[in-house]
Amino acid sequence: ADLENGVYIPSSLTAIGTKTNYNSSGTAVYGAFQKCLALESVTLPAGIQQLNDLTFSECSSLAKIAYVGAPENEKGTVDNALPNTLQVIGTFIFYRNTSLDTVALPTNSKYTALKHSMFRESGITSITIPANVTMIGNSKSASNVFQDCKNLETVTVANTAKLTTVGASSFVGCVKLKTIDISGAKDLGTKVFQNCTALETVKLCSSATELGTNMFENCTSLTGVAMKADGTPDFDENGNYKYNFELPSSLVYLASSAFTGSGLIAIRIPAKVLALTNSASNAKTIKATNYNTASSAFKDCANLERVEFLGNAVLIGKSAFENCTSLSEIVAPDADQNNELTVDGFFKNIKYVG
């Protein structure tokens, strides 16, 4: 084809780039179009099956991506979309694509995971995660898929029941994200929502047993309760907080700094959490030798007023509530009618305090 400015991608092409961003000698290589700073639009072959690592990484002007034969919208234009023939979309594909605001992902059954740093530091404002996707990230420990997407406001999970894993740092630094439903994901990595300062509500999987380290650290808008227009907590007719955030009922372990520096006002801790400690093994096996364990689960939660244990916790690690300057109530099922901290109340069951 005669092109003044552009690249012709043959219709017979089924893959772009290599499956790894390293060659056989271990030397890092560039993605096919990596750092093509003037590239503004791409039309992919309709039958393409693989976009491998770094293909469009750091293409800061790339705003349009579609495929041959893509349907037109009501305006007669083509929305950003990837073809359903794609089975592999590699790591760092749209890394630092600051002009890209959204893209429709493949809905075929062979495409099941958003790979490491796929949209990291990009300009996307909204994304729908299709029902065929079961993992955000390569694994529980490797994700960063939407890290520092500072314009990302809306994440829609098409089928929350199919989503099983949200990997480490998936949404860290998404400062405009307000709400998300990941209620199917039992496996949660570390720092998933760290520094998501606008985050107000999250639906978690009821069968999740652990919350990762720094999970909600510095989520300053996550109050845990409904708020009135004037910025004060809303209460029901009985004077109780209206909770809008619940921890999983199967939760056993709150990891280090899970809520450090967050905006929590009130929180209910599930009955299976018997200890606040930074050690997963200590949380699951309570021993007298663990009394000196540390816990930074709620450290620096300056707005935290009420903590309600739904079960009989027996160990509170040191620093668990450090600098919680507003904390006035810690209650448990057998606390007295005034929620007083007496020997007949919360501390009746506490054996070890760090």
Side-chain angles (χ1 to χ4, degrees), residues 61-104:
S61 298
L62 182 62
K64 298 291 183 182
I65 186 164
Y67 57 94
V68 174
E72 294 183 347
N73 56 32
E74 63 275 7
K75 297 179 182 178
T77 59
V78 175
D79 294 324
N80 284 347
L82 299 175
N84 282 329
T85 54
L86 275 171
Q87 300 174 19
V88 174
I89 304 176
T91 62
F92 291 89
I93 286 289
F94 299 114
Y95 173 56
R96 291 184 175 172
N97 284 195
T98 52
S99 298
L100 190 70
D101 60 1
T102 192
V103 62

Side-chain angles (χ1 to χ4, degrees), residues 1-8 38-42:
D2 293 328
L3 298 174
E4 293 183 359
N5 294 289
V7 175
Y8 172 66
L39 182 63
E40 297 179 356
S41 66
V42 172

Side-chain angles (χ1 to χ4, degrees), residues 108-308:
N108 75 78
S109 60
K110 293 185 178 180
Y111 180 63
T112 59
L114 306 187
K115 294 296 186 179
H116 194 291
S117 299
M118 182 175 180
F119 291 100
R120 186 173 177 175
E121 297 179 41
S122 72
I124 62 166
T125 60
S126 64
I127 194 76
T128 295
I129 298 173
N132 45 293
V133 170
T134 61
M135 297 176 62
I136 299 178
N138 293 19
S139 65
K140 179 179 176 179
S141 60
S143 181
N144 307 83
V145 172
F146 299 100
Q147 181 175 338
D148 292 324
C149 289
K150 297 189 182 301
N151 295 321
L152 182 60
E153 297 182 11
T154 305
V155 176
T156 303
V157 180
N159 189 338
T160 56
K162 290 285 187 70
L163 187 67
T164 62
T165 303
V166 180
S169 301
S170 286
F171 297 97
V172 65
C174 293
V175 295
K176 291 187 178 181
L177 183 64
K178 289 187 176 183
T179 183
I180 190 170
D181 183 347
I182 54 169
S183 54
K186 182 178 179 179
D187 292 326
L188 302 171
T190 62
K191 303 180 182 180
V192 173
F193 297 107
Q194 185 185 48
N195 298 331
C196 291
T197 53
L199 191 66
E200 296 176 355
T201 59
V202 182
K203 288 186 178 180
L204 299 172
C205 178
S206 61
S207 59
T209 58
E210 297 184 7
L211 287 191
T213 303
N214 308 97
M215 180 86 169
F216 295 103
E217 184 179 16
N218 297 328
C219 291
T220 51
S221 297
L222 187 67
T223 61
V225 299
M227 304 295 287
K228 295 189 290 187
D230 64 0
T232 59
D234 198 6
F235 297 90
D236 63 21
E237 62 275 11
N238 296 316
N240 300 314
Y241 289 106
K242 293 182 178 180
Y243 289 93
N244 64 4
F245 172 75
E246 296 289 352
L247 291 172
S249 57
S250 298
L251 192 70
V252 174
Y253 173 53
L254 278 172
S256 170
S257 302
F259 291 95
T260 293
S262 73
L264 283 178
I265 291 175
I267 187 77
R268 292 189 284 210
I269 299 178
K272 292 183 179 181
V273 177
L274 301 180
L276 293 183
T277 169
N278 290 344
S279 166
S281 60
N282 286 353
K284 297 169 184 176
T285 305
I286 310 299
K287 299 178 181 179
T289 53
N290 296 340
Y291 77 94
N292 200 36
T293 187
S295 172
S296 52
F298 299 99
K299 184 179 179 181
D300 297 330
C301 291
N303 297 326
L304 185 61
E305 299 176 358
R306 177 185 171 92
V307 175
E308 181 178 352

